[in-house]
Amino acid sequence: MNQPKHLSLSPALRRAPRSMTLSLIAAAVLAGCAVSPPAEHSKQDLLLQASADQREMFANQEPVSAPITLDEAIARAVKYNLQQRLALMERALEDNLIDVQKQGMLPKLTARAGLRTRSNDYGSSSESLATGVESLVPSTSQERTSNSADLQMTWNVLDFGLSYFGAKAQGNKALAAEERRRRVVADIIRETRAAYWNAVTAERLKDQVGDTLAQARQTLDYARQTEQKRLVAPIVALRYQRDLLNMVRQTEALDNELAQAKARLAALMNLAPGTSFTLAAPDATALQAPRLAYELQDLEALSMVRRPELREEGYLARNAVLETRMSLLKLFPNAALFGGLNYDSNKYLVNQNWADAGVQVSWNLLNVLSWPAIERAGETREQVADLRRQALRMTVLTQVHVAWLERERAAAAFERAQELSRLQDAIRTQTENAARSNSETQLELVRARVETLLATRARDLSYAELINAQNTVYQAAGIDPLPERIDDESVAGLARSIAETSRLIERGHIEVPRFASLNAPAEIAVPASAQPQPIARAPRPAPALRTVTGQPWEHLGSVGSAPIAEVAAVADAAEAGIATPVR
């Protein structure tokens, strides 16, 4: 029996693969050692980064050219506040991720090219299985060096389904991001209103506080001189100075508090620190408690359909269903379609160019065993989402009631503070008249002026708290303080739109949904003969609608939500507790 013949290799060729392998290992080790940890930021890098950030923070903003009104302050906060910009960019990111998810539904087109070489010829021989005799001399059908290229298109059915549900889930996340942005905007507007009225008080009382503080310090110096000269009893002089020091301390604390008010407002409007601006302060005598145009039941109904938190939770609850569907989809067989063009430079091939196509089906049969567990997990996931939403509804209702009670308390407190301020003004006037005729001491005059300042500050703070409480009521009900659409995106145009929307809200031009009462008694069948005849009713006036028109916001985004489907349309049924359309 002849032995198989093998190709004889020279020692150099035998050493070639070993040396090549060692070279590759050495190169890989050197490349790994060359990786060094990143360097820390130098002080110059931090300064450059801070300078660039400051330029971006305050770039492309309209300058302040006139006294700032409340509507303009809100417009600047909405347009330039960094938290609003961040929320807007997060919404844009979620929108872009939708397109990314959609790309997974498309077929995959892959282009490949490569070069392959070896140190010796690829050869083989054949041996008979029956006799063990070599039946073919060693031969090769492959070149040492060859080029290859192919263009393959594949489409996976399972990937398509998962990408489809993933895109729908990402769409829900984008809608949820919009609701989060609405919440951020509402918080910014509420904080801006409160900061504006604090700053208005600061600007109104600035001169009075300075004059009163100077007078109190001058009187304190005079009291110290009186003590040193022993013009009065020591105990009287000490008590006199104590009272004056308390007044100076209260006035200085008020002055410091007022100085910080404008800085907080400037930060909300994203004005650079140190920017000089004035406020269009309304007349102090024109401060009146705003009217609340909605009943508590109306606010409850509005909160159930307009609160951003509830709407966000509703969108995320949809994803609980989609996650279950995606888990079930993975249990089905997977089919992949493929086709492409191929090229190989190997000269031994008869056809160096060819096209291929086919289909491949695979199925892990053991996955079917997990079907019941996935269904149970999906049902539990949906139940958790429902309970989370119901718990959130309870929280929202509680917030509406708390905001309503807080608004009533703030209204009563403002009335008391306004009355106290009026009485203190009268006391100061009488004290000043008495001081001119030497009927009152300088201490009492300073005391009256300090107490007048504190009463005025308390009145303005009480008014700011009332405005904040009323806006908290609207925010708890989910009423958007911004229009749904706008034509002019400048600060002035946005301020006009905000003012118009505020007037519509204050006049009650937000249509309220009517839901069936949970405690309504069940209907009892009554014979036709015993039923009362219908009484002619006067026609009810049509509810005022919110009509803010314009083009969709291109940069700020739409804060208002899409119209909600009407619950019922019959007017008589609405009086019985059935829902009416919501705009």
Side-chain angles (χ1 to χ4, degrees), residues 132 151 229 239 378 403 452 454 474 481 548 579:
L151 184 65
K229 294 179 181 180
R239 289 174 179 172
T452 301
L454 296 177
Y474 291 147
V548 182

Side-chain angles (χ1 to χ4, degrees), residues 294 302 306 508-513 543-546 580-583:
Y294 307 93
L302 285 169
R306 286 179 172 265
H509 285 223
I510 302 297
E511 192 167 351
V512 180
L545 302 179
R546 179 180 179 181
T580 55
V582 181
R583 294 289 187 269

Side-chain angles (χ1 to χ4, degrees), residues 393-517:
R393 287 189 187 279
M394 187 63 194
T395 303
V396 167
L397 287 175
T398 303
Q399 291 175 354
V400 171
H401 278 257
V402 171
W404 177 273
L405 296 175
E406 180 63 22
R407 195 266 176 194
E408 290 185 341
R409 184 207 63 79
F414 172 67
E415 291 180 2
R416 300 293 179 269
Q418 198 171 29
E419 183 67 15
L420 287 173
S421 177
R422 186 186 65 80
L423 292 175
Q424 188 59 44
D425 285 340
I427 292 174
R428 176 182 57 83
T429 302
Q430 294 296 328
T431 305
E432 289 176 349
N433 294 335
R436 293 191 188 97
S437 60
N438 296 326
S439 299
E440 283 288 356
T441 62
Q442 191 72 15
L443 173 64
E444 293 300 325
L445 178 60
V446 173
R447 188 196 307 276
R449 290 179 176 176
V450 170
E451 290 178 350
T452 301
L453 280 176
L454 296 177
T456 303
R457 173 61 172 168
R459 181 203 61 192
D460 290 351
L461 281 180
S462 181
Y463 182 76
E465 290 179 0
L466 176 57
I467 296 298
N468 187 46
Q470 176 131 338
N471 289 301
T472 302
V473 170
Y474 291 147
Q475 185 177 0
I479 298 177
D480 293 322
L482 294 184
E484 295 180 2
R485 299 179 185 277
I486 192 170
D487 292 325
D488 187 0
E489 293 185 9
S490 64
V491 171
L494 185 56
R496 287 192 298 270
S497 300
I498 291 172
E500 179 62 24
T501 304
S502 299
R503 283 192 292 268
L504 291 174
I505 294 174
E506 296 295 338
R507 294 172 185 173
H509 285 223
I510 302 297
E511 192 167 351
V512 180
R514 302 295 179 186
F515 297 100
S517 176

Side-chain angles (χ1 to χ4, degrees), residues 121-443:
D121 291 322
Y122 173 79
S124 63
S125 62
S126 298
E127 183 180 273
S128 173
L129 295 177
T131 62
V133 178
E134 181 180 3
S135 60
L136 182 66
V137 296
S139 62
T140 183
S141 60
Q142 180 176 313
E143 294 183 279
R144 289 191 181 186
T145 302
S146 62
N147 300 319
S148 63
D150 60 70
L151 184 65
Q152 292 286 335
M153 176 175 287
T154 58
W155 186 64
N156 193 298
V157 177
L158 180 59
D159 290 345
F160 172 82
L162 295 177
S163 299
Y164 172 78
F165 288 122
K168 293 179 71 68
Q170 186 60 42
N172 290 328
K173 292 180 181 179
L175 294 174
E178 171 63 17
E179 298 304 324
R180 288 195 297 271
R181 194 183 73 86
R182 285 182 57 208
R183 186 167 67 248
V184 169
V185 170
D187 289 338
I188 290 174
I189 291 177
R190 180 173 53 81
E191 294 175 5
T192 302
R193 280 198 174 104
Y196 179 84
W197 287 112
N198 283 334
V200 164
T201 302
E203 196 158 283
R204 183 187 292 137
L205 299 180
K206 180 179 180 181
D207 295 336
Q208 299 180 34
V209 169
D211 295 341
T212 303
L213 187 59
Q215 184 181 9
R217 288 170 177 169
Q218 182 179 2
T219 306
L220 180 61
D221 293 338
Y222 176 77
R224 289 169 178 167
Q225 295 175 8
T226 303
E227 179 193 6
Q228 294 173 358
K229 294 179 181 180
R230 298 185 179 277
L231 300 178
V232 295
I235 188 64
V236 175
L238 293 175
R239 289 174 179 172
Y240 194 89
Q241 293 180 52
R242 179 198 62 187
D243 294 340
L244 282 173
L245 279 174
N246 284 332
M247 296 175 196
V248 170
R249 178 178 58 83
Q250 292 176 344
T251 309
E252 288 176 343
L254 177 61
D255 185 56
N256 181 59
E257 182 182 351
L258 297 179
Q260 297 176 7
K262 292 186 69 174
R264 296 192 186 99
L265 179 61
L268 287 169
M269 294 189 297
N270 201 47
L271 294 178
T275 302
S276 176
F277 65 94
T278 57
L279 301 176
D283 188 3
T285 59
L287 298 181
Q288 299 294 332
R291 186 179 66 90
L292 191 60
Y294 307 93
E295 299 294 335
L296 180 58
Q297 294 79 4
D298 299 338
L299 297 171
E300 290 178 356
L302 285 169
S303 67
M304 291 296 99
V305 296
R306 286 179 172 265
R307 274 295 290 268
E309 293 89 343
L310 290 175
R311 297 168 69 90
E312 178 185 358
E313 192 62 39
Y315 293 134
L316 297 180
R318 294 179 183 175
N319 287 352
V321 180
L322 293 176
E323 288 177 8
T324 303
R325 293 179 181 177
M326 294 172 67
S327 299
L328 292 175
L329 184 62
K330 296 177 182 178
L331 304 181
F332 287 91
N334 180 27
L337 306 177
F338 63 89
L341 302 175
N342 303 271
Y343 165 76
D344 196 321
S345 65
N346 187 8
K347 66 180 181 179
Y348 298 105
L349 293 176
V350 176
N351 298 307
Q352 292 182 326
N353 299 281
W354 70 95
D356 60 351
V359 59
Q360 184 177 3
V361 179
S362 61
W363 189 12
N364 187 352
L365 299 178
L366 295 181
N367 282 347
V368 180
L369 300 178
S370 59
W371 186 300
I374 292 177
E375 279 193 333
R376 288 194 301 270
E379 292 175 358
T380 304
R381 187 185 295 113
E382 295 175 19
Q383 291 174 1
V384 169
D386 292 339
L387 288 176
R388 186 185 295 113
R389 186 176 61 251
Q390 293 168 14
L392 186 57
R393 287 189 187 279
M394 187 63 194
T395 303
V396 167
L397 287 175
T398 303
Q399 291 175 354
V400 171
H401 278 257
V402 171
W404 177 273
L405 296 175
E406 180 63 22
R407 195 266 176 194
E408 290 185 341
R409 184 207 63 79
F414 172 67
E415 291 180 2
R416 300 293 179 269
Q418 198 171 29
E419 183 67 15
L420 287 173
S421 177
R422 186 186 65 80
L423 292 175
Q424 188 59 44
D425 285 340
I427 292 174
R428 176 182 57 83
T429 302
Q430 294 296 328
T431 305
E432 289 176 349
N433 294 335
R436 293 191 188 97
S437 60
N438 296 326
S439 299
E440 283 288 356
T441 62
Q442 191 72 15
L443 173 64

